[in-house]
Amino acid sequence: MSASVRSILEVKGRDVVTIGPNVTLAEAARTLDEHKIGAVVVVGMENRIVGIFTERDLVRSIARSGASGLDQPVSAMMTANVYRCNEASTVNELMEVMSSRRFRHVPVEENGRLCGIISIGDVVKSRIREVETEAEQIKAYIAG
């Protein structure tokens, strides 16, 4: 059985780096660098998700506008239509969605509010733990 998002968050924690939609791209880039992360969740009122801003969005902005693009607000370049999951979502579901839609970060939402984030690295680590556990169980069964 595939692990749940809840089990991943219990191990890694529920802290999420967030920014507001009016933060400049330069400020968002500093936040990514400072926290050594690849994405920040953009939140509005009551910690509700309004977008996600990633390294890919930053590169796209610089490619289109050059350095002057760094002065525009995150809301101009963020992905506004954010795929979200909930704590009951499974690792297998996330692997499928992340692979097919080509993104590496999924915010976790409960009751309309941000409560965590899952990265592709989190998914891979969880899947490796599952495979290792299965292998141990098979070895124990064979050894009798």
Side-chain angles (χ1 to χ4, degrees), residues 47-69:
N47 211 29
R48 296 197 183 271
I49 301 167
V50 297
I52 191 164
F53 183 76
T54 68
E55 296 165 318
R56 191 179 295 165
D57 297 324
L58 181 61
V59 169
R60 190 175 69 239
S61 174
I62 293 169
R64 291 179 182 172
S65 305
S68 65

Side-chain angles (χ1 to χ4, degrees), residues 8-142:
I8 293 173
L9 292 177
E10 287 171 359
V11 172
K12 78 171 260 185
R14 296 173 182 275
D15 293 340
V16 183
V17 177
T18 62
I19 57 175
N22 296 322
V23 167
T24 67
L25 297 186
E27 292 167 320
R30 281 190 288 279
T31 299
L32 293 172
D33 180 53
E34 178 182 317
H35 293 278
K36 296 176 179 36
I37 55 176
V40 291
V41 179
V42 184
V43 295
M45 302 289 262
E46 297 180 7
N47 211 29
R48 296 197 183 271
I49 301 167
V50 297
I52 191 164
F53 183 76
T54 68
E55 296 165 318
R56 191 179 295 165
D57 297 324
L58 181 61
V59 169
R60 190 175 69 239
S61 174
I62 293 169
R64 291 179 182 172
S65 305
S68 65
L70 294 174
D71 294 327
Q72 61 186 321
V74 164
S75 59
M77 292 305 293
M78 71 182 186
T79 301
N81 187 16
V82 180
Y83 178 84
R84 301 155 165 106
C85 68
N86 60 50
E87 292 187 16
S89 300
T90 67
V91 168
N92 288 346
E93 291 168 349
L94 287 182
M95 282 189 337
E96 172 63 32
V97 170
M98 291 171 126
S99 295
S100 66
R101 296 189 183 186
R102 299 179 49 97
F103 50 73
R104 300 175 296 171
H105 301 88
V106 177
V108 183
E109 187 177 63
E110 289 295 328
N111 300 316
R113 290 197 171 88
L114 178 65
C115 67
I117 191 165
I118 300 294
S119 72
I120 192 69
D122 299 326
V123 170
V124 169
K125 287 176 197 171
S126 176
R127 187 65 186 120
I128 287 170
R129 279 192 303 271
E130 286 178 7
V131 169
E132 288 173 345
T133 300
E134 289 172 13
E136 290 299 320
Q137 291 171 345
I138 289 170
K139 286 178 189 175
Y141 176 77
I142 291 171

